[in-house]
Amino acid sequence: MIKPNRKKLVVVGNGMAGARVVEEILRRASDQFDIVMFGAEPYGNYNRILLSNVLNGSQKATEIFMNPLAWYDENQITLHAGVKAVKIDRERKVVVGKRLRRDATPYAAGETGVGTEPPVEERYDHVIIATGSRPFIPPMEGFGQRGTFLFRTIDDCDHIASYAKECKKAVVIGGGLLGLEAARGLLTHGVEVTVLEAAPQLMIAQLDPDSGAMLKTAMEAMGVKVLCEKITTHIVSENGKITHLLLKDGSRIETDMVVVSAGIRPITDVAVASALTVDKAIVCDDQMRTNDPAIFAVGECVQHRGKIYGLVDPIWEMANVLADVLTGKNPSAAYLGSKLGTKLKVMGVELASMGETKPASPDDEVIVYREPKRGVYKKLIIRNEKLAGAILLGEIDTYNLLMQHFMGGTPVSARRADLLFLPSEGPSMLQALDMPDSFQVCNCNGVSKKAIVDAIKTGCTSVAKVGACTKAGTGCQSCKPLIGELISAYHDAGVPDQSEHFYVPGVPLEKSVLVAEIRRMGIKSVSEVFNKLAGGKEDPASKVGLASLLKSLWPDEYDDERDARFINDRVHANIQKDGTFSVVPRIYAGVTTPAELKRIADVAVKYNVPLVKITGGQRLDLLGIKKEDLPGVWQDLGMPSGHAYTKAFRTCKSCVGTDFCRYGVGDSIALAQKIEHRFQGVESPHKMKLATAGCPRNCSEAYVKDLGAVAIEGGRWEIYVGGAAGGSVRKGDLLCTVSTHDDVLKYMGRFMQYYREHGKYLERSYHFLERIGIEALRRILVDDGEGICARLDADIQKAVDAYKDPWKEAEIPHYPQQFSPPELARILEVAENNG
Amino acid sequence: MADAVAPKSRTLNLGSVEKVPKGQGFCFIVDGREIAVFRQRDGKLFATQNRCPHKQGPLSEGIIGAGKVICPLHSHKFDLCTGEGPDPKECVKVYSVREEKGDILISVDA
């Protein structure tokens, strides 16, 4: 169906890259182009990654199709299947294709195998070249005769499988990923398989010598013979049947058939014939454009910034960029190259590899764990506290964590073992939550965490449903456990937004970027954030988080728009289920006086307070107070706000310390009072509950507080951070030990400021701590490893200085209706409308 | 058979829009009914029943924006134009409301 006003897009190549870019374009603009595709293979697009399953019989060819022929019809795409594009006539703006003979090899060079029919010509406005790769055949004599095969297409699988039936022995030339997959496939056909590798080890691109040797042992245990440093020079046959191979070292190996799988090379024939710039592959800029502005390329046939990629992830990234550029959705989208990591199963052996396989300098830290009996090998290369490379063989449970660090360039845990082993309980949920939205969960179909979480939120609550909706998990299926974790992490609607990649859902920026933008543009109010950073669209669910952030960024200059505050923070009290409020006055360190208690009692009587309760934080709570009574209650109490309603410093409990206790070794009451006077009202990503303990008996529970100080013998104080004893129970980690109250205040303030700056909204200190790691915090906050301590100290001081008791608004409300009850409408009738 | 009775409504003047703080809601009691009137930062007015159908939270105390209100008790979210809630069974009644000469005019059933 040709519409005259649409541009015509011709895609050369119908493999995973070509079909993917078309899908991405249709997703952005289903009606913008007339699309024509040339595919040398006579099929729709299939998942080439799964070919080994077809070869070993675990999947049928029909099961690996990603875009069956019907898909092209449904999307009104003209597919020339079995037609090979041979040239782009750039003067006439026409792509010329020639039909291949049915028995032709689709990836053969040049015009080999084209038939005699007249060429197929398609006029174009834009061309995308996605011709992929062809197998590399090392120089040897005798390849091409009967019994020799390549391993690249569905037809190759068919041919190998049917020929193997008459064979006893097979040789696979090439000990890389594809070679081993081919070997696995051949085993299932009952032949003895030998793999010949030219390099000294298997999978040289992904493994180091040690892990290569372990993989070899594992392969041999499964019945595949592996010979390294073997180069084939001749394939020898007698009477039309292969008998043996001759090798460069003079040895010979008997075999009935040969499969060559020794790597791939980009297919550039059509680009060369069209006089485009081709080096090792088709040279493209960051927008996937060749030297002809109307012609683009994606996938394995591309050379971008000198690099060629042979894995799917970079191809998906390129397809996204190109779709953005071509549809005009984001004309300046840019592909900046990919970091490579991959996870795969070789004959049932799990394997993951990312980045570099060996250290590049003596400063690189190399961590190796080896467990030969189980066939487990793990290696990390750490450079400047970041992951430069990793190998996991036999057990890959920390793959997701490592990929996050590797892709994100984030500092790794100082306890390196955390990167090698998952703790036996609990953390996988956290890991699923912490994973950035952009993290690609399904590497076969390029499905991000965000797409899966979105599907879960629309009701896809099983792995199968998520697969039906997003395709995730329908390829190699290795990501299914992770999809299961995501479902359990996100299915519960009560999971807060802290897991989102963005600081708040309505402004598409992560916290560090958001903070930088706010600072750069000098944004001082929530409405201005929406106007300048969210295209003018208000998002109610984002207001509170933004208000908290702005207040911590501009302590005394912040433009405090009260509509951005949660009701508790508008009226400085905690809303209850019946719409009344609770009032908790500040009682520093939990130490009160008879006069104060009398006033509290008088208030409770005067306002008919239904419940007076001593809280877990050593405070008195007056519950059931009407909004309009709040100012009166506060004035009658004559005490400052206890901030029991907000995401801020809450309380600092204490034990009786040295004054009366027989065991106390430090003055915990005086310290708690100083802490509370200093940090009252300091806002933070979530509430901060503190305690001080006069001795390690911990009567005030300081070990399980967001921040706690515990006195130890010798007049010293231990400072614990990240403790919890609510829904989570966790003993805090020791940040440092100091000698004076002032030092306790200093380090606590530093921790608070760092948490205020780096905590996600609604992330409690204990999750924050687990995310950053105590060693990293010690390095930053105690050793001043980033040189920011003085700045942190100054900034927390500003927040302290900006303290105002919010209950002072009792005297002058911030706005007239702040404490108003519902108004009984005095009706001025305007009109009566009869239906 | 009696004739079908056409629905009847009245338009009432609730007074100045300034009664509703900018970007917030405010609760009026009209004929014994609690009605939340919202005034978005862009000046748009909305009105709904004040009580959340979930656990009777006061919607007038909720956070608003982009034509939505979030209940302060359990964060259930409602569309201020249509009354649609998180679940098809959970909707709020909406009232037609407009500004005229600085006053809030609302239509309620007679």
Side-chain angles (χ1 to χ4, degrees):
Chain A
M1 203 196 318
I2 306 290
K3 289 189 186 166
N5 55 341
R6 292 206 280 195
K7 296 272 186 191
K8 185 162 166 192
L9 174 65
V10 176
V11 182
V12 174
N14 182 35
M16 295 176 74
R20 179 57 168 234
V21 75
V22 169
E23 282 187 345
E24 293 294 342
I25 288 169
L26 292 173
R27 193 173 298 165
R28 286 162 178 75
S30 59
D31 216 25
Q32 194 173 342
F33 297 103
D34 288 313
I35 300 176
V36 175
M37 300 183 76
F38 283 88
E41 287 186 72
Y43 308 113
N45 170 44
Y46 56 86
N47 187 342
R48 212 176 291 282
I49 298 166
L50 299 178
L51 273 184
S52 50
N53 289 351
V54 175
L55 182 57
N56 72 27
S58 64
Q59 281 188 300
K60 288 186 194 144
T62 50
E63 290 174 45
I64 68 166
F65 274 93
M66 299 169 83
N67 306 83
L69 291 172
W71 176 82
Y72 299 84
D73 284 346
E74 282 161 22
N75 290 288
Q76 296 164 12
I77 296 164
T78 308
L79 171 64
H80 296 298
V83 178
K84 182 170 181 173
V86 293
K87 186 180 178 196
I88 304 167
D89 186 330
R90 293 161 57 194
E91 263 177 34
R92 290 165 55 223
K93 292 202 122 185
V94 163
V95 177
V96 182
K98 292 192 178 168
R99 182 160 293 282
L100 287 178
R101 292 194 307 269
R102 182 63 188 89
D103 61 345
T105 305
Y107 48 77
E111 298 198 12
T112 315
V114 303
T116 52
E117 290 115 319
V120 180
E121 294 203 341
E122 291 283 359
R123 187 196 59 77
Y124 69 82
D125 295 299
H126 305 289
V127 178
I128 298 172
I129 304 175
T131 42
S133 306
R134 64 170 57 99
F136 168 65
I137 306 166
M140 67 182 88
E141 273 183 38
F143 186 83
Q145 62 182 300
R146 194 168 119 73
T148 61
F149 301 91
L150 294 166
F151 178 46
R152 183 71 186 163
T153 64
I154 285 186
D155 286 352
D156 289 338
C157 287
D158 284 348
H159 298 152
I160 293 169
S162 64
Y163 195 84
K165 291 197 185 95
E166 5 176 321
C167 297
K168 283 193 180 134
K169 291 181 177 173
V171 162
V172 175
I173 296 179
L177 168 59
L178 285 171
L180 296 178
E181 292 285 7
R184 169 176 83 134
L186 281 166
L187 267 194
T188 59
H189 294 284
V191 287
E192 280 176 38
V193 184
T194 304
V195 171
L196 302 182
E197 168 58 47
Q201 66 166 90
L202 292 177
M203 294 190 68
I204 190 126
Q206 289 90 9
L207 301 181
D208 64 351
D210 283 354
S211 49
M214 282 178 85
L215 181 64
K216 177 170 184 269
T217 308
M219 294 288 113
E220 287 176 337
M222 278 180 269
V224 175
K225 199 169 164 192
V226 177
L227 301 171
C228 293
E229 294 184 273
K230 297 290 178 195
I231 294 169
T232 307
T233 55
H234 294 79
I235 303 172
V236 183
S237 57
E238 277 172 29
N239 306 323
K241 285 201 76 178
I242 294 172
T243 53
H244 62 275
L245 307 182
L246 293 179
L247 307 184
K248 201 175 173 186
D249 62 7
S251 56
R252 58 183 275 165
I253 291 174
E254 295 192 355
T255 188
D256 304 318
M257 65 186 289
V258 177
V259 176
V260 170
S261 183
I264 52 174
R265 295 292 180 270
I267 298 179
T268 58
D269 305 342
V270 69
V272 170
S274 316
L276 296 170
T277 305
V278 174
D279 179 22
K280 287 175 287 183
I282 305 168
V283 177
C284 287
D285 66 13
D286 290 352
Q287 301 192 314
M288 312 319 301
R289 201 178 277 113
T290 66
N291 59 310
D292 181 331
I295 302 178
F296 301 79
V298 283
E300 291 173 344
C301 62
V302 166
Q303 178 176 332
H304 172 264
R305 298 191 183 185
K307 276 189 167 171
I308 302 172
Y309 296 96
L311 292 172
V312 289
D313 308 53
I315 297 177
W316 296 165
E317 290 171 36
M318 291 179 197
N320 269 320
V321 168
L322 180 50
D324 277 348
V325 170
L326 267 180
T327 59
K329 186 172 176 250
N330 178 6
S332 56
Y335 174 69
L336 303 174
S338 298
K339 284 180 155 184
L340 292 183
T342 186
K343 175 171 73 165
L344 40 106
K345 234 183 198 172
V346 185
M347 297 180 61
V349 179
E350 292 201 287
L351 171 67
S353 164
M354 60 196 80
E356 298 166 43
T357 57
K358 49 184 184 292
S361 84
D363 291 336
D364 285 354
E365 183 184 341
V366 181
I367 289 127
V368 177
Y369 173 79
R370 196 194 315 249
E371 198 182 330
K373 199 169 171 195
R374 275 205 308 139
V376 173
Y377 179 87
K378 303 181 179 191
K379 176 177 182 178
L380 308 175
I381 295 168
I382 294 170
R383 186 173 303 145
N384 301 326
E385 293 304 307
K386 290 173 185 165
L387 191 64
I391 296 169
L392 299 174
L393 178 70
E395 187 177 275
I396 62 166
D397 47 0
T398 57
Y399 169 76
N400 292 325
L401 177 71
L402 294 177
M403 272 299 264
Q404 266 174 258
H405 282 302
F406 176 66
M407 291 296 180
T410 46
V412 296
S413 167
R415 187 171 173 272
R416 310 301 194 211
D418 295 345
L419 303 167
L420 293 178
F421 311 102
L422 280 187
S424 47
E425 54 174 336
S428 63
M429 176 80 84
L430 186 69
Q431 209 186 326
L433 286 169
D434 272 357
M435 190 181 288
D437 274 359
S438 56
F439 183 80
Q440 182 158 294
V441 174
C442 174
N443 290 328
C444 292
N445 294 314
V447 187
S448 68
K449 172 187 165 186
K450 180 167 191 316
I452 292 172
V453 171
D454 287 349
I456 293 167
K457 286 181 177 163
T458 60
C460 297
T461 51
S462 68
V463 175
K465 280 186 191 162
V466 168
C469 179
T470 65
K471 288 190 176 179
T474 59
C476 73
Q477 319 205 340
S478 67
C479 61
K480 276 185 162 180
L482 184 52
I483 297 172
E485 279 174 27
L486 286 169
I487 292 171
S488 45
Y490 286 90
H491 178 40
D492 177 4
V495 175
D497 282 340
Q498 74 194 62
S499 53
E500 299 282 345
H501 189 49
F502 304 146
Y503 174 69
V504 286
V507 184
L509 298 172
E510 58 178 320
K511 184 168 184 181
S512 56
V513 184
L514 177 63
V515 166
E517 285 297 289
I518 288 173
R519 287 217 163 103
R520 186 177 68 80
M521 301 170 85
I523 297 175
K524 305 264 165 66
S525 73
V526 172
S527 56
E528 213 183 334
V529 175
F530 289 126
N531 285 335
K532 295 197 173 150
L533 298 175
K537 191 169 186 303
E538 260 192 330
D539 175 44
S542 302
K543 283 179 155 185
V544 175
L546 291 173
S548 155
L549 181 68
L550 286 170
K551 189 168 180 202
S552 64
L553 291 178
W554 315 103
D556 40 12
E557 302 162 72
Y558 157 61
D559 179 4
D560 181 8
E561 295 169 344
R562 290 295 171 102
D563 63 294
R565 292 185 176 201
F566 184 55
I567 181 64
N568 285 8
D569 289 295
R570 290 183 192 163
V571 302
H572 317 300
N574 198 346
I575 193 166
Q576 305 296 308
K577 61 186 276 189
D578 61 353
T580 65
F581 291 86
S582 81
V583 167
V584 180
R586 190 161 293 288
I587 298 178
Y588 298 92
V591 177
T592 181
T593 62
E596 225 168 46
L597 288 172
K598 274 186 188 162
R599 282 206 306 278
I600 293 170
D602 288 344
V603 166
V605 172
K606 177 173 171 187
Y607 292 92
N608 290 317
V609 173
L611 180 67
V612 181
K613 169 89 177 66
I614 296 175
T615 70
Q618 302 183 339
R619 299 303 134 96
L620 278 161
D621 194 351
L622 309 179
L623 292 125
I625 293 177
K626 294 204 261 315
K627 185 168 78 169
E628 55 272 29
D629 285 340
L630 289 171
V633 167
W634 299 337
Q635 282 175 314
D636 291 348
L637 284 171
M639 298 164 75
S641 164
H643 290 92
Y645 45 82
T646 190
K647 310 296 177 228
F649 172 92
R650 286 279 181 93
T651 53
C652 186
K653 311 205 296 183
S654 68
C655 62
V656 295
T658 43
D659 287 357
F660 289 88
C661 180
R662 288 175 291 140
Y663 301 105
V665 293
D667 188 351
S668 55
I669 291 181
L671 177 58
Q673 286 171 325
K674 286 180 199 167
I675 288 172
E676 200 151 347
H677 277 285
R678 179 166 175 78
F679 297 116
Q680 58 185 337
V682 168
E683 301 207 357
S684 48
H686 210 306
K687 55 193 172 189
M688 297 188 286
K689 295 180 166 183
L690 282 73
T692 61
C695 79
R697 286 173 188 76
N698 191 34
C699 295
S700 55
E701 299 159 351
Y703 289 131
V704 288
K705 290 299 183 187
D706 295 287
L707 292 107
V710 178
I712 56 172
E713 199 53 67
R716 290 155 63 77
W717 292 91
E718 290 180 334
I719 300 175
Y720 287 86
V721 290
S728 305
V729 178
R730 181 182 194 279
K731 186 178 177 185
D733 290 315
L734 181 64
L735 180 68
C736 58
T737 304
V738 298
S739 302
T740 65
H741 283 182
D742 283 349
D743 277 347
V744 173
L745 295 176
K746 180 168 88 179
Y747 287 103
M748 282 187 163
R750 254 182 220 172
F751 176 83
M752 284 182 199
Q753 184 60 22
Y754 193 74
Y755 169 51
R756 278 152 53 85
E757 291 176 12
H758 297 275
K760 300 176 191 171
Y761 186 60
L762 297 185
E763 180 179 42
R764 280 297 287 268
S765 71
Y766 40 93
H767 288 140
F768 173 73
L769 184 130
E770 284 179 350
R771 183 161 64 82
I772 308 288
I774 186 64
E775 282 85 0
L777 283 171
R778 277 191 205 127
R779 192 172 52 75
I780 296 165
L781 303 178
V782 182
D783 307 336
D784 200 9
E786 294 185 357
I788 59 170
C789 286
R791 209 258 308 143
L792 291 173
D793 293 348
D795 283 350
I796 193 72
Q797 185 61 44
K798 273 189 210 157
V800 167
D801 294 341
Y803 168 74
K804 281 192 213 85
D805 175 17
W807 286 2
K808 291 276 189 269
E809 287 173 12
E811 290 143 35
I812 309 164
H814 194 265
Y815 55 100
Q817 310 85 339
Q818 189 176 7
F819 303 107
S820 302
E823 179 178 311
L824 195 59
R826 282 182 299 120
I827 304 294
L828 300 165
E829 195 150 329
V830 176
E832 190 161 295
N833 315 314
N834 290 309
Chain B
M1 214 188 237
D3 287 345
V5 179
K8 246 175 144 188
S9 74
R10 301 184 293 152
T11 300
L12 308 173
N13 184 330
L14 296 177
S16 166
V17 291
E18 297 295 327
K19 284 185 181 178
V20 184
K22 201 169 166 192
Q24 297 192 29
F26 191 73
C27 179
F28 292 90
I29 299 176
V30 180
D31 296 341
R33 277 179 289 197
E34 288 184 19
I35 296 179
V37 177
F38 302 94
R39 182 173 157 226
Q40 221 162 249
R41 282 199 155 262
D42 60 10
K44 276 192 200 132
L45 292 179
F46 303 94
T48 67
Q49 72 187 57
N50 185 43
R51 292 290 163 180
C52 177
H54 172 229
K55 298 270 180 181
Q56 282 68 58
L59 294 177
S60 55
E61 313 277 27
I63 290 185
I64 63 162
K68 302 271 196 320
V69 61
I70 301 173
C71 176
L73 290 195
H74 305 97
S75 302
H76 285 221
K77 201 185 213 177
F78 299 91
D79 188 302
L80 293 172
C81 294
T82 63
E84 271 173 76
D87 183 296
K89 281 174 278 177
E90 200 183 308
C91 303
V92 292
K93 182 171 171 52
V94 293
Y95 297 89
S96 158
V97 65
R98 65 178 195 276
E99 181 182 338
E100 202 172 286
K101 295 178 195 146
D103 282 353
I104 304 165
L105 300 190
I106 188 168
S107 296
V108 295
D109 323 331

